[in-house]
Amino acid sequence: MHAEAMDAGARAAHPEQHGTSRPAGAPAPGRTEVVTSRSGRVAVHGDLTRQGADLLRGTVETLQRRGHDPVVVDLRAVASVDAGGRAVLESLRTHVAAAGGRLMLRNEPPALV
């Protein structure tokens, strides 16, 4: 399968992870992700809650399974991170390391450092 077709399929399966519109009736997201699957990079925008961080976990794990090491998550445009979001990020760091990979969090909000 070509990377473009895989990317298109991923956007259709997970629109919240690719900055595309959500289905009618779905709540507006407080967070979006822009995924560059060729380089293993994710740019997160908005508020990072437990639910949003769980979605981010799925994106990171998918990139890791596709052979990206490290997976880079840019948090520069994150407006806020709640306690649940912080807990998921810490768990994700541990999970990625246990699987033999590296997770690089760039531009972490001060509460995460």
Side-chain angles (χ1 to χ4, degrees):
M1 179 182 271
H2 294 296
E4 293 81 14
M6 287 175 57
D7 288 346
R11 282 191 298 273
H14 301 285
E16 71 282 353
Q17 296 177 0
H18 297 277
T20 58
S21 63
R22 296 177 65 80
R31 173 207 60 80
T32 59
E33 293 177 9
V34 177
V35 180
T36 308
S37 58
R38 288 190 178 128
S39 65
R41 294 182 174 271
V42 184
V44 182
H45 302 263
D47 302 319
L48 192 57
T49 62
R50 176 176 297 279
Q51 181 181 13
D54 277 335
L55 291 169
L56 177 61
R57 176 196 314 267
T59 301
V60 169
E61 289 173 350
T62 297
L63 290 169
Q64 185 180 21
R65 279 192 306 273
R66 290 183 179 175
H68 293 285
D69 187 37
V71 175
V72 179
V73 177
D74 187 346
L75 301 168
R76 175 179 323 162
V78 169
S80 67
V81 181
D82 70 8
R86 283 191 298 276
V88 171
L89 285 176
E90 289 302 321
S91 170
L92 185 57
R93 283 179 176 165
T94 302
H95 175 78
V96 169
R102 293 177 295 153
L103 175 65
M104 298 178 73
L105 299 178
R106 298 283 192 216
N107 302 301
E108 295 180 59
L112 291 179
V113 176

